Amino acid sequence: QVQLVESGGGLVQAGGSLRLSCAASGSGLSTYVIGWYRQAPGKQRELVADITPGGSTNYAGFVKGRFTISRDNVKNTVYLQMNSLKPEDTAVYYCYAKLPLLTRVQYWGQGTQVTVSP
């Protein structure tokens, strides 16, 4: 059983930065891929980034080098550092966890709202 809790969302001006945190608890956390999806009103959910147990990272093309995902295995927390934020980044951001060989997400966080004003 894994529980994920996101935090760090908020309202920021375009060009600003936020760091989202996904605090995880449960068994075997170090064996999971952990990442972030986002969903804006009226839009399809989209993958933002993920990080493997070995620390390899993957990013969506729209990030364009602005976001960084990292993993602190001591704190059992994954971070999404978001810089140069744009209004189109406005969405609810959800962290997730899954075993590397699975395509289906096994665990979801509750989501945190990110709002970027022009």
Side-chain angles (χ1 to χ4, degrees):
Q1 192 74 29
V2 172
Q3 183 176 353
L4 306 172
V5 179
E6 299 105 326
S7 62
L11 192 154
V12 66
Q13 294 284 100
S17 298
L18 287 172
R19 188 173 76 161
L20 306 184
S21 299
C22 178
S25 62
S27 299
L29 292 171
S30 63
T31 69
Y32 283 83
V33 174
I34 300 180
W36 296 85
Y37 278 89
R38 71 184 188 186
Q39 188 166 27
K43 295 183 65 178
Q44 187 177 9
R45 183 178 62 193
E46 57 189 357
L47 179 66
V48 178
D50 59 40
I51 185 166
T52 71
S56 297
T57 58
N58 177 61
Y59 297 96
F62 59 74
V63 170
K64 300 183 185 301
R66 299 178 296 125
F67 294 3
T68 302
I69 188 169
S70 61
R71 186 170 191 154
D72 186 334
N73 289 324
V74 175
K75 297 181 179 179
N76 292 322
T77 301
V78 170
Y79 303 97
L80 184 67
Q81 179 67 46
M82 304 187 295
N83 299 324
S84 301
L85 283 163
K86 304 175 181 179
E88 51 263 44
D89 294 318
T90 296
V92 178
Y93 285 70
Y94 300 89
C95 69
Y96 72 88
K98 71 176 187 69
L99 291 172
L101 296 178
L102 300 179
T103 59
R104 181 182 295 274
V105 172
Q106 295 175 268
Y107 304 99
W108 290 96
Q110 83 286 356
T112 186
Q113 176 70 48
V114 171
T115 302
V116 184
S117 61

